[in-house]
Amino acid sequence: PALASFPDFTEMMRALGYPRLISMENFRTPNFMLVSEVLLWLVKRYEPQTDIPPDVQTEQDRVFFIKAVAQFMATKAHIRLNTKKLYQADGYAVKELLKVTSVLYGAMNNKGVEHADVSEEDSSKFKFDLGSKIADLKAARQLASEITSKGARLYDLLGKEVELRESRTESIARPLEINEAEKVMKIAINCVLEEVQKTKDMLNNVALDEANLEAKIEKRKLELERNQKRLQTLQSVRPAFMDEYEKIEEQLQKQYSSYVEKFRNLTYMEQLLEDHHRAEQEMFE
């Protein structure tokens, strides 16, 4: 009885372009490898970029695979799958697989693809990708939530219309006083003129600051040129004591070499004397 819907499943899989032929005998006994292969193929049809691991060698890997597929179908396609029946991998798993294939097959028919026209050779070339529709679905949900919130806000505003209508009618019915309007307009014009004057003053200050900065930059440039010329002059002039300094430095180098040689000889002699004392002490003992 669990395989009563199997012909529909095989026809739908063939129409969707599954590369292998599926027979009823494949599900007489539990066949988890085939079920996992079909599930992964269907998931790829929904979203080719999915990263569900295909490893189903161990029991833990199989449980993780079934949970990942069920969660993917629940979140992406809103299809609720029975994980226990899928794990059985027999005829009862076909019913769960049929839930997914029915959605894909219905979507394919809505796009104008007739089931009778899909041959076995052309079915492998057919690729149905529902991933592009997921973005539209998310956008539609977002728009629906915005419509709901704005509708609630509009309802609240319309609820205040009774109070606001009286104030609005009273304001409209009030006669317009020319003198008062003229006074308000003059105040507004004066405020605008003050803002314009402030802006002009700021522009003038900016121009003055720019002129001061340019003068400082020019002054610094002149100082830099003078310092560079002075540096070149100092580098070209040889100090009067330089000859004597080089001569003394050469003598110092010779003295240092002699010092190093004498220090090395002294250290060696001390080492010999220490060895001699140690030998005498050993002979005495």
Side-chain angles (χ1 to χ4, degrees):
L3 297 176
S5 58
F6 191 84
D8 294 337
F9 174 71
T10 56
E11 291 298 324
M12 289 181 183
M13 291 296 292
R14 186 177 65 84
L16 291 174
Y18 187 66
R20 292 175 53 184
L21 293 177
I22 303 175
S23 65
M24 189 179 299
E25 298 298 328
N26 296 129
F27 294 95
R28 291 292 183 186
T29 58
N31 191 348
F32 192 87
M33 299 303 293
L34 179 58
V35 171
S36 64
E37 182 181 348
V38 172
L39 282 173
L40 189 60
W41 187 84
L42 292 173
V43 168
K44 293 291 185 181
R45 279 292 178 268
Y46 271 100
E47 187 173 344
Q49 303 300 328
T50 184
D51 56 350
I52 295 177
D55 189 10
V56 291
Q57 297 299 325
T58 63
E59 180 181 354
Q60 186 177 1
D61 293 336
R62 294 183 178 186
V63 173
F64 179 78
F65 176 80
I66 293 296
K67 287 183 178 180
V69 172
Q71 185 177 3
F72 174 84
M73 288 299 175
T75 56
K76 300 294 184 180
H78 299 283
I79 299 175
R80 186 176 181 181
L81 299 177
N82 191 322
T83 55
K84 292 182 179 180
K85 292 182 179 180
L86 286 176
Y87 191 79
Q88 290 177 5
D90 53 7
Y92 292 99
V94 176
K95 291 185 177 182
E96 302 302 316
L97 295 174
L98 190 61
K99 296 178 182 179
V100 183
T101 55
S102 300
V103 176
L104 289 172
Y105 186 75
M108 183 182 69
N109 288 336
N110 291 335
K111 295 183 68 174
V113 180
E114 296 294 336
H115 173 70
D117 296 337
V118 180
S119 63
E120 184 176 355
E121 296 179 357
D122 297 335
S123 61
S124 61
K125 301 179 182 178
F126 179 78
K127 294 182 178 180
F128 179 74
D129 185 10
L130 199 61
S132 60
K133 300 297 182 182
I134 295 177
D136 298 337
L137 181 61
K138 292 181 179 179
R141 289 179 177 176
Q142 184 177 1
L143 289 175
S145 62
E146 291 180 359
I147 290 173
T148 303
S149 60
K150 290 185 177 181
R153 183 181 177 186
L154 180 61
Y155 178 80
D156 295 337
L157 293 175
L158 289 176
K160 300 177 182 179
E161 175 63 18
V162 178
E163 300 176 1
L164 297 176
R165 186 186 299 124
E166 297 179 358
S167 301
R168 185 171 61 251
T169 304
E170 183 179 355
S171 299
I172 294 173
R174 184 184 303 169
L176 183 62
E177 297 180 1
I178 301 300
N179 295 331
E180 188 68 22
E182 183 178 1
K183 182 179 179 181
V184 173
M185 290 298 296
K186 286 182 178 181
I187 294 174
I189 291 172
N190 291 332
C191 292
V192 173
L193 291 176
E194 290 179 359
E195 293 294 333
V196 171
Q197 187 62 33
K198 289 181 180 179
T199 305
K200 288 182 178 180
D201 294 339
M202 291 175 64
L203 291 175
N204 293 332
N205 293 333
V206 169
L208 182 61
D209 293 340
E210 184 178 0
N212 293 333
L213 289 175
E214 289 179 354
K216 290 181 179 180
I217 291 172
E218 189 67 25
K219 183 178 179 181
R220 295 296 182 184
K221 285 182 179 179
L222 295 175
E223 292 180 358
L224 178 61
E225 291 178 359
R226 288 197 299 268
N227 291 330
Q228 288 179 347
K229 291 180 180 179
R230 185 178 179 184
L231 177 62
Q232 292 176 359
T233 303
L234 293 174
Q235 288 177 349
S236 61
V237 175
R238 184 179 177 84
F241 57 85
M242 199 65 189
D243 295 336
E244 184 180 0
Y245 172 78
E246 291 178 354
K247 186 181 298 184
I248 295 174
E249 187 178 10
E250 185 177 355
Q251 294 177 359
L252 178 63
Q253 186 67 29
K254 293 179 180 179
Q255 293 293 334
Y256 179 74
S257 300
S258 176
Y259 166 74
V260 170
E261 184 178 359
K262 291 180 180 180
F263 182 79
R264 185 168 58 250
N265 293 335
L266 177 61
T267 305
Y268 176 69
M269 296 299 292
E270 289 178 351
Q271 182 66 30
L272 291 178
L273 180 60
E274 185 178 353
D275 293 341
H276 178 69
H277 289 325
R278 186 183 301 108
E280 287 184 350
Q281 183 68 26
E282 290 177 356
M283 290 177 62
F284 178 76
E285 290 178 357

